[in-house]
Structure formats: structure tokens, C-alpha cells
Amino acid sequence: MRKTLNFLMMMAMVAISFAQNKGIDSKRPNIVFIMSDDHAYQAISAYGHKLNNTPNIDRIAKNGAIFSNSFVTNSICAPSRAAMLTGKHSFVNGKVDNVQEFNWSQETFPKLLQQNGYQTALIGKIHLDGLPQGFDYSAVLPGQGHYYNPDFIINGEKQQLAGYVTEITTELTLEWLANRDQDKPFCVLYHQKAPHREWLPAKKYYSEYTKMKFKEPVSLFDDYSNRGTAAKKAEMNILHHMNWAGDSKIYPEVMEQLGITETSNWGIKALKNNLGRMDAAQRASWDSIYGPINEHFKTIYPTMSPEELMHWRYQRYMQDYLGSIASVDEGVGQVLDFLKENGLDENTIVVYTSDQGFYLGEHGWFDKRFMYEESLRTPLLISYPKEIKPGTDIDGMVQNIDYAPTLLEYAGVKIPKKMQGESFRKLLNNEKTEWRDAIYYTYYEYPSIHMVKRHYGVRTDRYKLIHFYYDIDEWELYDLESDPNELRNVYNDPGYAKIRDMMHRRVKEMRKKYGDSDKNDQRFLKEYLEKINK
């Protein structure tokens, strides 16, 4: 009897030791990290802009926390995702633009979780070349991916799946959650393509959203008169630079009848490619809605003024952009319901964010890239019932380099010293009063699409200093308290001389702190120009 008891106790000790060595602990939180592409914080109803309704994304804020000062380190897709994975600035992780290759062999938070007993998955868009590392399962879109009948690379094998990409990404995520190893904590990166350009909503939503009218931003007709060269030279104006075919969905034959020439060389090709992926039923449904829009446009275009045309193009943009978000919100609801129905909600951290902000007509723009607020600021909502009180508002300045160390701390995994971000777990628990008072930003992809100049800068709770360089040398300073829409550069205003000097000191401090320098800029510029000129 005693031998049997001793044997059972020994086996129990072995099991406990095994679990500890493998990092298996049922008390450790599961993680669902949701990232959409180009989802502006203005387009989440929890932020109060009243542009659209996102009831399911709002559930995360209602049950947890919403961040009002969440920012990216580099407002462009692939570099932002690299910063999210590595917890390091672009000039440290090496992915400074969409052209550079990403080094998957470096440490990422999914790798570290996997090494410490988590089952990991990446599903949807990642926009980083190469086979993803650190995941037990991956089903990713190649490159930007497609909205209809998309290709997926599932554990290294490419296959085309029938349907709408947002719904497919959600279905694959739910399938993985249902069939995961239930003896391990899990981390799934559930990443949507939407609402990335060219904004093709699902049938259930384009039928509805194309009938809606949306409130315009106050700076829709910004003339950039109080800014420098960078804002004036950027090519992202809704009226002048948005594609007629690919973006506004004006059919090529209609453009030809009206004498409209495309604004870029890929606009017509993009529309033909996107619609060409549809099956006959999908295309017939699309044409039943967008055909009449084209016919109506033929009757009004000849007499429209530039101002009227801007109003029209803004509404077309919002109808498709926000219609695409509706499917994202629906998918979030399905995942949240799954967690609740399976008793996983209490011990699961749910994060919702985007890879950067986006212009929804502010300054007359679409796209991102600039250090101005709409591009720099990104949505961030987190729920974790075990620790985060419902309805928590966080105004501390966080960045996407902070996601990795925060999730690692929650998982009980040691945070590597090379990670430059900081865990904001104590911010969520209202335990920490001291936090960073400034953030650092870089942007490198120029000359390129949209022609946004290379720049870096620092933002504090009130001021923002930006240095545009390479083919210009200009500084811009904004007082976000008196000028929240950033319409007036006060860099040369004598009344801001002391502030300007203080912000210059902050730039030097931040560049030193994170290890940035002009040498970085020169090295990455040389590599960039070599790649684009091949």
C-alpha cells in the first residue's frame, strides 16, 4: 500500500515538474490578439466620434479598458507589425519600410510564448515575407491578400478558399480555437485584412452602406497653408489622388465615357483584378448595387464642381471603408461569443488594435504615414476580467512596441532586455502612476507611393516636434492643446521659442535612449534605394 502511495506521489511530482518545465499552467491567461489593417480609431464607436457603430469591438472596452493615447512607432503596415512582434523600434528590428525583408529569426513574443508552453497560431494578414516563425499553426494571406475568394498559405501550403476574406479569417480562427490542445494555454493572432485599401465590403454590408451618408471632418478642405513642404507635396488627397476605379469603384467604361483619366497606373488594374476573383453570383450581386451607382454618377458628373466632387468621393470612400469594418466587427463578436460559450472569457486577454491609424478625410486625405494624429494614433482596447475593471479609461501614452512585453508579463515569461517597449500591465491595474511622458516616431518609405517625406519626431502630452529630411530640411511644431487638428505650425512663432528648444532637447534624448541616429537613416536609405532601383 505504502509502495503504491509512494509511486503515485512520485508520479504526481513528475507531472507537476513536467508541467512547470513546459510552462503549462491552467491559471496563465489565454491571449486573443486581434489586429485589423488601417482601422482608424475614429471608426470605432467606443471612441465617441459617431461615424459608425462597432458594437462588438465596443464590448471589449465595456468589459475592460480603452486607451485614448495609443500610438505606433512607424505608421506603415509591415514595419508596424514587426514592431508589434519584436517590441523594438524599426531601426532596431530592421524592418523600416515595406521593402526591407523581415528577419523572422529574431525574438518575438509568440516565439517566447511557444517556448514556454503556449500553443500559438497566426491567422489572417501579417504582411511580412517568409514563413512565420513561432507558431504551431499559421494560415496567412500572401502579401496584401484579396477580399473575395482569397489565397491563404496554410502551414506553408498555398490554397484558394471560397468566400469573403474577413469571414474566412474568422472561421479559420474559430476552427483553430475549437480544435486546439486544451491542455495548454493559447495565443492566437487573429488578423484581418480589412479595412485595407481597396475596400470591398461583403454583400450584406455594401447593400446597406452604399445608401448611407457620413459626417465630414472639419479639415476636409485643408489647404495646408500653415504647414511646410511635406503636407503640400503628399499625394493622398481624396479628390486628386484616390483611384477612380480601384477606390471609388467607377467602372473603366464609365470613366472612358466621361473622359476621366485614372490617377495612378494601377487603379483600373486593381478593380479588374478584384472583381475578376469573384464567381458569377458574387459578381452579379456586386453589379446590382455598384452598377446603378455608376449609372447615377454618369448623370451628375458633367455638372459637378470640384467641391461637389470632393463631397461625393468622400461619401464613396466612407461607404466602402466603413462597410468593410462592419464585417470585422461581426467577426469580433463571433470570437467573443465563442470564448464566453466555452467558459474561456474569464481567463482570456482580448486585445483589439490596428497596425496604425488612418485618415478618414482629415486634411482631405486617405492613407497614413505621417506623424500627424490621425495616422500616429491607433485604437487599443483590452479586456481581461481577472484583472481589468470594466469601463477602464487609460490616458497614458503607449506604443505598439509595448504589446510584446505586456503580454509576456501576463504570461509569466521573462521579458528580453533587447525589447525596447515596456509592460503597461500596471497602467491597466491603476498601480503605476509614473509612466513615459513622450513617444518617439520614425518614417522612412520615401520616395514612394503617396510621397510622404522621411521624418522623425517626438510627441508629449501637449506638443509635437517633427523633422522632415532627405530632400528637405524642415521642422514643424504643434500645440495639441490649442490646435488639436494640427492646422498651424508654430515652429517659428517667437511665443513658442522656449517650447521649441525644450522639444529639441527631447528629440535628442529620445534618439539616444532608443539608439537612433543619422547613420541609421543613411544606411536604410541606401538599402531602400538599391532595392527600388533594381
Side-chain angles (χ1 to χ4, degrees):
M1 180 69 180
R2 179 173 293 181
K3 288 183 179 180
T4 302
L5 182 60
N6 288 340
F7 175 78
L8 292 174
M9 290 177 66
M10 182 181 70
M11 293 302 295
M13 292 295 292
V14 169
I16 291 170
S17 176
F18 178 82
Q20 289 174 340
N21 290 334
K22 289 293 185 179
I24 300 171
D25 184 351
S26 61
K27 294 182 179 180
R28 290 198 292 170
N30 303 305
I31 299 167
V32 176
F33 187 92
I34 311 170
M35 176 176 277
S36 53
D37 196 310
D38 293 343
H39 192 172
Y41 67 91
Q42 311 96 289
I44 292 178
S45 46
Y47 280 97
H49 289 264
K50 299 181 180 180
L51 186 61
N52 61 330
N53 290 313
T54 51
N56 293 301
I57 297 172
D58 291 359
R59 284 165 59 184
I60 301 173
K62 183 179 179 181
N63 296 326
I66 185 169
F67 289 72
S68 57
N69 286 302
S70 172
F71 305 101
V72 293
T73 53
N74 185 347
S75 185
I76 188 169
C77 298
S80 178
R81 294 165 187 272
M84 173 270 294
L85 288 169
T86 65
K88 297 181 288 191
H89 276 275
S90 300
F91 47 85
V92 178
N93 68 51
K95 185 62 177 172
V96 300
D97 51 48
N98 280 341
V99 176
Q100 295 281 0
E101 294 180 358
F102 177 65
N103 178 14
W104 276 104
S105 65
Q106 63 188 302
E107 281 185 322
T108 65
F109 82 85
K111 271 189 187 180
L112 293 168
L113 291 176
Q114 185 187 49
Q115 291 166 10
N116 284 273
Y118 272 75
Q119 188 177 18
T120 57
L122 168 61
I123 301 169
K125 184 173 181 179
I126 192 61
H127 199 204
L128 295 170
D129 293 337
L131 184 66
Q133 295 181 24
F135 301 97
D136 300 300
Y137 172 84
S138 64
V140 299
L141 297 165
Q144 296 288 2
H146 291 92
Y147 276 101
Y148 280 85
N149 305 320
D151 296 324
F152 272 81
I153 301 173
I154 301 178
N155 288 339
E157 295 186 7
K158 186 176 180 179
Q159 56 182 289
Q160 186 174 11
L161 302 181
Y164 185 67
V165 67
T166 308
E167 296 170 357
I168 294 170
T169 302
T170 301
E171 290 166 3
L172 290 174
T173 302
L174 292 172
E175 181 180 346
W176 183 83
L177 285 169
N179 294 287
R180 72 192 190 284
D181 182 348
Q182 297 192 19
D183 291 329
K184 292 183 177 183
F186 65 82
C187 173
V188 55
L189 275 57
Y190 164 44
H191 288 192
Q192 293 289 11
K193 168 185 170 59
H196 192 278
R197 194 181 185 189
E198 285 86 14
W199 316 298
L200 275 71
K203 175 184 177 181
K204 65 173 74 173
Y205 293 117
Y206 63 64
S207 301
E208 174 186 358
Y209 276 73
T210 51
K211 300 173 184 176
M212 295 183 179
K213 187 172 183 179
F214 300 95
K215 183 181 178 181
E216 296 175 350
V218 296
S219 59
L220 182 64
F221 290 93
D222 188 356
D223 62 4
Y224 321 117
S225 58
N226 293 312
R227 253 74 51 76
T229 304
K232 295 181 178 70
K233 294 292 185 179
E235 297 178 359
M236 56 174 64
N237 185 271
I238 292 172
L239 176 60
H240 301 297
H241 304 119
M242 186 172 275
N243 290 329
W244 284 97
D247 297 327
S248 294
K249 312 304 189 302
I250 298 302
Y251 293 169
E253 58 269 25
V254 174
M255 290 174 58
E256 184 176 359
Q257 292 173 30
L258 296 174
I260 297 174
T261 55
E262 189 55 286
T263 56
S264 74
N265 59 9
W266 88 79
I268 291 175
K269 182 179 179 180
L271 181 67
K272 289 182 176 179
N273 184 35
N274 288 330
L275 299 188
R277 296 188 68 88
M278 295 179 175
D279 62 29
Q282 291 167 337
R283 181 62 191 269
S285 176
W286 180 272
D287 286 338
S288 72
I289 300 297
Y290 287 87
I293 289 174
N294 274 259
E295 290 302 313
H296 178 65
F297 183 68
K298 284 165 58 176
T299 66
I300 61 174
Y301 176 76
T303 61
M304 293 177 80
S305 67
E307 182 176 322
E308 290 171 329
L309 203 53
M310 180 61 142
H311 291 306
W312 186 89
R313 297 203 77 180
Y314 171 77
Q315 294 301 328
R316 275 277 51 251
Y317 169 31
M318 286 298 94
Q319 288 165 358
D320 290 345
Y321 177 89
L322 297 175
S324 299
I325 287 173
S327 290
V328 175
D329 186 72
E330 181 180 26
V332 170
Q334 291 175 316
V335 171
L336 293 178
D337 289 345
F338 177 92
L339 296 175
K340 187 173 181 63
E341 291 165 4
N342 289 275
L344 296 168
D345 54 324
E346 288 295 315
N347 195 39
T348 299
I349 298 169
V350 178
V351 179
Y352 186 89
T353 189
S354 175
D355 52 358
Q356 61 261 321
F358 213 68
Y359 294 106
L360 304 186
E362 298 86 4
H363 308 295
W365 289 335
F366 64 104
D367 207 70
K368 57 259 185 179
R369 301 167 196 267
F370 272 114
M371 196 184 169
Y372 303 132
E373 285 297 283
E374 295 82 9
S375 172
L376 175 67
R377 187 191 298 262
T378 190
L380 180 60
L381 308 91
I382 303 178
S383 66
Y384 182 36
K386 281 191 173 182
E387 285 197 20
I388 304 172
K389 293 180 180 179
T392 297
D393 293 317
I394 306 293
D395 62 5
M397 290 190 288
V398 303
Q399 286 190 282
N400 52 353
I401 55 173
D402 298 326
Y403 301 162
T406 300
L407 295 174
L408 290 175
E409 182 182 348
Y410 273 115
V413 177
K414 185 178 180 180
I415 301 169
K417 292 182 179 179
K418 290 183 179 180
M419 285 191 174
Q420 296 178 302
E422 300 177 50
S423 171
F424 50 73
R425 183 179 186 178
K426 289 184 178 180
L427 274 184
L428 286 164
N429 295 339
N430 293 315
E431 294 179 20
K432 189 169 185 175
T433 55
E434 291 185 9
W435 186 248
R436 69 165 64 97
D437 62 354
I439 59 161
Y440 183 62
Y441 178 86
T442 58
Y443 176 77
Y444 299 89
E445 194 166 301
Y446 175 88
S448 185
I449 179 176
H450 300 305
M451 298 303 284
V452 172
K453 304 287 187 183
R454 291 172 174 253
H455 59 287
Y456 60 84
V458 166
R459 185 199 191 278
T460 68
D461 61 342
R462 177 170 177 177
Y463 301 105
K464 183 184 296 181
L465 181 65
I466 311 172
H467 182 212
F468 293 97
Y469 65 94
Y470 174 51
D471 56 352
I472 60 173
D473 182 11
E474 296 181 7
W475 293 85
E476 295 183 8
L477 175 65
Y478 294 95
D479 184 340
L480 301 173
E481 184 177 288
S482 63
D483 180 25
N485 294 315
E486 296 172 297
L487 298 175
R488 189 169 73 93
N489 173 21
V490 296
Y491 186 80
N492 293 315
D493 185 332
Y496 283 87
K498 291 183 178 180
I499 299 299
R500 181 185 63 214
D501 292 344
M502 178 272 291
M503 290 298 289
H504 270 287
R505 289 194 297 271
R506 296 309 309 269
V507 167
K508 290 181 181 178
E509 291 169 4
M510 298 292 272
R511 298 194 93 193
K512 182 178 180 181
K513 174 181 177 180
Y514 290 116
D516 198 13
S517 67
D518 291 342
K519 289 184 179 179
N520 284 338
D521 300 327
Q522 294 163 6
R523 175 167 64 92
F524 290 124
L525 174 61
K526 181 181 179 182
E527 293 175 1
Y528 176 76
L529 294 176
E530 287 175 352
K531 283 182 177 290
I532 65 172
N533 289 325
K534 279 185 178 180

